[in-house]
Amino acid sequence: MSAEAADREAVSGSRPCTPPQASWFEFLLDPSLLEQHLRGLHPDPSPVQLIVQFLEQASKPSVNEQNQVQPPADNRRNRTLKLMALKVAAHLTWDLNLLEKGLTIPVLNMLLNEFLCVSRVPPGVKHVDLDLSTLPPTTAMAVLIYNRWAIRTIVLSSFPEKQTKPGPHQLNMMSLVQQEKELTENILSVLREQATDSITVLEGALNIKKDFYIHTLRSLDLLAADPSTANGETESSTAGLRISADHLHCQVHYDLGGIYFQQGCSDPSVYEKAKEHFRKARELLTKLDSSASLCCVDEQRLAGYWSACKTLTETSDPGESQHTPYGQISCFMRNHDYGALIEAFIRDNVTLSLPHSFRHSIQLELLHKLQQGDRALEEVCHKLCVCNAVRDALEGGVLGVSFHQLLIKPSKNTISFLLEVCTRSLDKEHRSETSKRKMAIFIKTVCNRLEDVSLAFMVSSHKLFMELLQDEEKKILMEQMRKSSATVNLSAKPLPSFYDIPASTSVNISQLEQQLILSLDPRHIRQILIELHGMAERPFWRVNSKWEVPVDYVNVILAIKDNLTRDLVYILMAKGLHCISIKDFAHARQLFTACLELVTEFSPKLRQVMLNELLLMEVRGHEAGAAEGNMERPPPDLVSRVRGYLEMRIHDLPLRQIVGEECVVFMLNWRENEYLTLQVPQSLVNSNPYIKLGQLIASTCKELPGPKESRRTAKELWEVVVQICSVSSQHKRSSDGRVSLLKQRESSMGILPRIDIKLGKSCFCGLIPGHYSYDFFFISQDDIVNEVTAEHISIWPSSLANLQSVDVEAVVVTLKELVNYALSLNPNNQSWLCTQADIYFVTNQYSAAMHYYLQAGTVCSDYFTKPVPPDVYTDQVAVLCQFLREVDYMTAFKALQEQNSHDSMDSFYDYIWDVTILEYLTCILFKEDPISDQHESAIKAIGQTELNSSNPEEVLQLAAQKRKKKFLQALAKLYF
């Protein structure tokens, strides 16, 4: 073993479960290790990482005795490294999907050029001038792989791509990043120039009907041992991997279809060529073995391309369109058959065959036509909005803004149609409990949103309402509607009460049980139980399966010997807990108080249990009031009782973990930092992990903003959070078998055996929103380092010692939960809105990101009537580049040069006030087409007198502010 490997083994000795990572030079010392490594289940480094390492080492420049930088030497070491890189690619069977995903354009260009050399492609001869049919099979295959990659890279480079930006610790890498960027642009420029030749080469390959051969690890070893012999053996088809003509033609047709489809943006007639290539690719794909690893065609993407080509060329087969959902929708849209379109959307609510994005794009397309003046589409848009809302509800998604707006003042016909869609969207034969529950939640939401009580009663009288909602839910909704009807004086005739039960002297057991289920009066409940026990001796706490008490208390309650008392205690507690869950704290207090009086007579243990539950109820009640805007501090008595609970030590007392959690959260939310940091007994801190975490959070908050000494406490909190978010070998599994995010932790400190999302929400969002999770997110996700904004970032460590042990998925989910929860408490918080926007931005959801960036600007500028603070917008493109403290001309110029942009830039020229940007824009538009409308618009924009640089500074500032306001308001109209 090498010295470096031995050192690494010694360092990693404390983590025996993680095997040491192999280094590139170990394979150089012993080439036989490479195949063994690649055959492993999860090789580390991965194959693409090895390719990067081998080529990086082989291309390092050397320095001579005069300290001058020389090109990489052509020696045995470097040739061996390049060969090993090719062998790794051969192990991947030259799968361009894998190589493109894992390697940058410069690295893959270097790899494939080396592949051409090894495969004996004649140097200095254009590929278009080669006769592939006369070349050795492996040589011809190398030419085809290179040209396939060339046109694929051109297509991929045309897609919108997120711009990366370095964090504070990456500034020293700026030059390297810029160099790689420039190198990539140079390679792309060459590939675009040669695109026509590459297309010709590939189309010529389609005329070759014989099989091809591609280099394998064995054939590359033969080349290294004896190039002349290996080349002859490869020519005779005995060394390489055979690729059938159908396999190759299928991939070539797919790639050619992609480049022609991309060119169709500027020349629509080319879509016909793209369609023909995709048709042939589809035909060949049906003939090939779908499990074959040699054909790397993305079937879903191919289906999308095929559907798009048929739509764009408007030559779809009417017979075929009847058999594909996309074809049907396209046909309905072309024929303006909106009735059939709506029917198709309703049917799709059952089959779920159309993607969510596609359905909403159809709705937006018709909405755009409506906004352009086609008023006949208003009802169609409303119906599509309803269909999509029901689909969203059945999939557990968030209902869109347009649906909420529709519910503000809906017509009776709209509600009637909504109920029809709900009924037809539940598959009668295969409706699951989950879909029924989601539909019930949707119906409740509709009832709560309707201001017109008559429409709400129209929903509540429907059979779906009666079938899907539980009794308690119906009762609550009916009571709310009764109150609303009394407020608006809908009718002089009183509405029937859900509580009304016919009085009778001769009631049977079923009627009494029904009253028992509905009643919330402790005295009434006791009287009913007395009557029931007089009629039958059985456990009446089982009457309603929805009555549940915490598992911690079940054994204590069921141990009560008297059957009547046992039933009464169980039912009072279950009903009280249910009332708390629906925030009916008045009834909960009555039920718990009655239960407390009852158990005090015979059980000190249950008495303390009820005192704890009453405390939890008071805590939740106060927090619920705070969430509704009542920021009055809790009474001293409640704070004292919370302290008492945290310090309580009673043996053999059943305690619910949630009570301790919420008590700590309560102390944090109401800034009881003095108690948590100074007064809480140290023995309690050491024994209660929630108090320990609360103390660390309180200490960190107390010292913010503070001197550098505050970083010690922050570092300790950081280490605890890292432990919470670290993965162990044991996972909790949910009932459906999936691994839960509440993972078991094997922490030496014993801090928090699980991640508790509710605790995280309340602590992190309620107190110092986002400081912990956001910063932790930075270090956990290498690809989005420092992309998400956060406050007080300087107090946190800048690195993570053991990143591999962090459960990144749990961190991401927690971050999203925190931000969503924070915005539910304060939707107008500029910092949280920016954070939400950043999350969407780094996950490539640009439309949603723009929505939240604009919303952040809106709340801090009174809908853009005031200047947006300079720290809100950081790095948007072109027009927004003017908003920065120092105008980012480089980014602006690059954005204006973009040929395939989708940002409606041409319509925003009037909003540019920076003369330098306008001059550059005018220049490039003149070069493209001096008589174009865009050039005329740019000339008009720069010719406005108020932008004259000779004007006083006040005039220029006023012109800039005016354009900022109009531009941001125009964007807001698009996204709100």
Side-chain angles (χ1 to χ4, degrees), residues 108-178:
L108 191 46
N109 180 65
M110 187 189 310
L111 177 73
L112 293 180
N113 273 291
E114 189 63 29
F115 185 39
L116 293 174
C117 294
V118 167
S119 300
R120 305 292 191 270
V121 175
V125 180
K126 287 185 177 183
H127 292 177
V128 73
D129 297 331
L130 296 172
D131 184 356
L132 297 183
S133 61
T134 63
L135 294 176
T138 50
T139 304
M141 195 64 184
V143 173
L144 293 178
I145 287 177
Y146 178 85
N147 286 279
R148 282 183 56 220
W149 168 75
I151 64 172
R152 288 163 64 101
T153 302
I154 294 170
V155 173
L156 289 174
S157 67
S158 68
F159 296 159
E161 191 176 76
K162 170 171 66 74
Q163 296 292 321
T164 58
K165 64 176 182 180
H169 60 286
Q170 293 178 297
L171 293 177
N172 58 342
M173 298 177 62
M174 277 295 291
S175 59
L176 295 176
V177 173
Q178 188 62 31

Side-chain angles (χ1 to χ4, degrees), residues 164-296:
T164 58
K165 64 176 182 180
H169 60 286
Q170 293 178 297
L171 293 177
N172 58 342
M173 298 177 62
M174 277 295 291
S175 59
L176 295 176
V177 173
Q178 188 62 31
Q179 288 176 16
E180 181 173 331
K181 194 174 180 181
E182 291 175 358
L183 181 57
T184 300
E185 289 297 329
N186 291 337
I187 294 172
L188 286 173
S189 177
V190 173
L191 294 180
R192 291 187 184 109
E193 289 176 5
Q194 299 174 351
T196 303
D197 289 351
S198 293
I199 292 172
T200 303
V201 169
L202 294 175
E203 288 184 331
L206 296 174
N207 298 321
I208 301 176
K209 305 303 180 183
K210 66 180 182 180
D211 294 342
F212 290 79
Y213 288 81
I214 191 169
H215 275 303
T216 61
L217 276 77
R218 178 173 176 267
S219 66
L220 290 171
D221 276 334
L222 290 172
L223 276 176
D226 189 349
S228 60
T229 302
N231 197 41
E233 186 177 357
T234 304
E235 287 185 38
S236 62
S237 310
T238 59
L241 177 66
R242 187 175 70 86
I243 307 293
S244 72
D246 283 347
H247 269 113
L248 180 66
H249 290 175
C250 181
Q251 294 182 95
V252 170
H253 278 303
Y254 175 76
D255 294 334
L256 285 172
I259 189 69
Y260 281 132
F261 190 89
Q262 188 255 345
Q263 293 176 351
C265 298
S266 54
D267 183 5
S269 64
V270 181
Y271 285 127
E272 286 289 352
K273 289 185 179 180
K275 179 187 171 186
E276 182 62 17
H277 280 293
F278 288 135
R279 183 187 65 79
K280 291 180 179 179
R282 281 161 53 89
E283 290 176 355
L284 288 170
L285 201 58
T286 59
K287 294 168 55 178
L288 300 174
D289 181 2
S290 59
S291 62
S293 60
L294 300 178
C295 190
C296 307

